[in-house]
Amino acid sequence: MTKQAAVLSETQSADAMLRERARRVVPGGMWGHLNAARLPAGYPQFFASAEGCRVRDVDGREYIDFMCSWGPVLLGHRHPDVEAAVRAQAALGDCLNGPGEVMVDLAEDFVAMLPHADWVMFQKNGGDATTACVTIARAATSRRKVLVARGSYHGALPWCTPSVAGVTTEDRAHLLHFEYNDVASLRAAVDQAGKDLATILVTAFRHDMGRDLELPTAEFAAAVRHACDDTGAALIIDEVRTGLRLDIRGSWETLGVRPDLCAWSKAIANGYALAAVSGNDRFREAATKVFVTGSFWCGTVAMAAARATLRIARETDVPAYIRAMGLRLREGLASLADRHGIAIRQSGPPQMPLMLFDDDPEVRKGRAFCSAALRHGAFLHPQHNMFLSAAHGPSDIDAALEAASHGFKAVRELRP
Ligand SMILES: *Cc1c(COP(=O)(O)O)cnc(C)c1O
């Protein structure tokens, strides 16, 4: 440690010192959404450890975690069965000259779990999977146009990143937009694409940052399917965020709508880096022809983690459990807000909740709420959907509600 750092350490938190060091050697101190400067005051940027539903920052403060690593953690951090599978596979080797037996085992698990799927391929990140889906759809149809809902997140590659820096118009040349859940705008975009429509790409529900979450209407889901059937385009569902949380068979299964291609990542390996594309036989040949690969896409450890995760999700009905915990949180927040006389809106499936305040265009209330709740040990988010995990028990939810009550107090004390 330099003398300067030693002096700083007496006055600054470990997090602040790491930010200071990072600012010198990492552009902006941190990339993308993980720059804690985007979060309410007091949020740490750096974490030291995690276990179950609790995360610990580098200053030793512990929080009940409602972000679950922004989605990848489904069963709780360091789930013992997943970690045991990881250790056993790691002892044999992770990065080999090609895939291990575990790849075929896992592909069989996926195909057995997903009614829409006849095959599956693996990648690392959600963006790999959404991009591969689009490439396969274009290869299969020999068409170019891709319909996406305005504001939907599908990854951080040039064709889909929410930023415009470094992106050319050509990168987006064949994207057309519609409004999620708006059948008329969907039809207009389909007409606009005409004979060049390769695919309609949709998230399982509308989970755009900062606005109320919206489940798909049955009418919208059916219209997406019909538009694809009428035109021969591929229906791609982006399940990267929702996968294994709403319905392990696929989020639109209860709506009676099956995708042709589906992108998975985040929770499928409970925190280990893995993504997948699943598809039906109509797209098998195209999926064989496209050249998609990556140096780390065969990693056996993440696949072993995914096998354990899928098995537990299946055997213990994780979606039903996290839904029950999410409902407990939702009801608790509603009654606290009521008691404090504060108007809130809760939206989304209970497993992936969002709470917004009325009359809060600049998110002042949301930020004050989250900062105070954080100080009392609950890690929440004011604008992004949150995540429940199978490690959240009723007493954890109740402890988080206690923290949230301080959040509501802070909102009441805000000056207009
Ligand atoms: C996170 C996410 C992605 C991108 O996944 P990465 O692993 O970050 O590349 C794509 N689609 C949705 C819906 C996501 O939530």
Side-chain angles (χ1 to χ4, degrees):
M1 201 188 284
T2 64
K3 197 168 165 194
Q4 189 191 10
V7 172
L8 279 175
S9 75
E10 286 164 11
T11 56
Q12 286 197 304
S13 66
D15 192 76
M17 288 198 296
L18 283 171
R19 287 190 203 209
E20 185 54 38
R21 284 170 54 199
R23 256 195 293 278
R24 292 187 199 126
V25 290
V26 177
M30 189 58 215
W31 55 82
H33 65 298
L34 294 175
N35 193 320
R38 293 173 190 265
L39 286 167
Y43 271 67
Q45 181 161 294
F46 292 93
F47 295 85
S49 63
E51 193 82 36
C53 70
R54 287 181 161 69
V55 287
R56 212 162 294 110
D57 69 19
V58 287
D59 287 291
R61 298 180 299 177
E62 191 176 274
Y63 312 99
I64 302 170
D65 180 17
F66 290 93
M67 285 311 283
C68 295
S69 311
W70 298 72
V73 170
L74 172 73
L75 305 173
H77 295 276
R78 299 180 45 73
H79 186 282
D81 293 0
V82 176
E83 295 308 309
V86 160
R87 278 193 302 275
Q89 186 61 54
L92 300 173
D94 181 25
C95 192
L96 309 172
N97 280 9
E101 183 176 347
V102 68
M103 183 190 83
V104 184
D105 292 335
L106 181 60
E108 287 170 348
D109 292 347
F110 263 102
V111 169
M113 183 178 80
L114 304 173
H116 91 95
D118 298 309
W119 54 262
V120 61
M121 305 162 79
F122 300 103
Q123 309 81 28
K124 279 289 147 189
N125 279 98
D128 300 335
T130 53
T131 304
C133 282
V134 169
T135 307
I136 292 166
R138 283 174 166 158
T141 57
S142 303
R143 302 176 192 168
R144 298 175 297 179
K145 301 294 180 205
V146 177
L147 262 56
V148 291
R150 198 168 285 108
S152 279
Y153 186 71
H154 295 295
L157 291 106
W159 70 269
C160 58
T161 177
S163 160
V164 290
V167 173
T168 67
T169 356
E170 287 80 1
D171 289 321
R172 311 269 171 102
H174 297 293
L175 288 192
L176 294 171
H177 292 93
F178 59 91
E179 282 299 309
Y180 201 97
N181 264 346
D182 181 337
V183 173
S185 82
L186 175 76
R187 293 214 177 107
V190 169
D191 287 347
Q192 201 187 335
K195 290 198 162 58
D196 205 12
L197 179 62
T199 178
I200 303 176
L201 166 60
V202 278
T203 53
F205 70 91
R206 186 175 196 171
H207 45 55
D208 313 347
M209 180 115 152
R211 52 166 295 152
D212 298 293
L213 307 175
E214 248 181 76
L215 296 176
T217 64
E219 188 203 3
F220 173 72
V224 173
R225 185 65 269 175
H226 285 147
C228 290
D229 292 341
D230 286 352
T231 58
L235 166 48
I236 304 171
I237 300 186
D238 179 351
E239 291 262 24
V240 170
R241 197 177 308 181
T242 43
L244 302 187
R245 283 197 156 87
L246 306 190
D247 185 327
I248 61 169
R249 302 166 305 167
S251 296
W252 283 16
E253 196 60 25
T254 48
L255 295 170
V257 172
R258 289 184 182 160
D260 298 302
L261 298 163
C262 208
W264 308 85
S265 186
K266 294 211 164 91
I268 61 172
N270 201 53
Y272 288 86
L274 191 68
V277 171
S278 57
N280 61 28
D281 273 336
R282 219 187 110 207
F283 292 87
R284 188 189 288 264
E285 195 192 328
T288 308
K289 278 194 206 148
V290 297
F291 187 78
V292 288
T293 189
S295 297
F296 298 103
W297 288 12
C298 292
T300 60
V301 167
M303 292 184 184
R307 286 207 81 200
T309 305
L310 261 50
R311 180 176 51 74
I312 295 162
R314 219 167 41 230
E315 288 174 0
T316 61
D317 198 354
V318 166
Y321 178 80
I322 60 175
R323 183 181 158 79
M325 289 304 110
L327 280 173
R328 190 183 182 96
L329 178 70
R330 179 165 294 183
E331 283 158 17
L333 289 171
S335 80
L336 283 173
D338 205 41
R339 196 178 324 146
H340 285 89
I342 293 170
I344 59 162
R345 303 190 307 277
Q346 301 197 72
S347 60
Q351 300 92 313
M352 300 169 66
L354 177 70
M355 188 188 93
L356 296 175
F357 289 85
D358 281 357
D359 305 317
D360 194 25
E362 263 130 56
V363 206
R364 275 181 75 228
K365 295 178 193 174
R367 288 176 165 264
F369 172 84
C370 284
S371 286
L374 185 90
R375 282 196 302 279
H376 289 86
F379 196 100
L380 303 164
H381 200 290
Q383 286 180 290
H384 188 284
N385 76 267
M386 297 179 279
F387 299 91
L388 275 293
S389 82
H392 288 88
S395 60
D396 303 309
I397 302 298
D398 296 348
L401 288 169
E402 178 59 33
S405 73
H406 294 278
F408 285 114
K409 252 181 247 160
V411 172
R412 230 180 36 200
E413 286 158 13
L414 268 183
R415 278 171 229 294

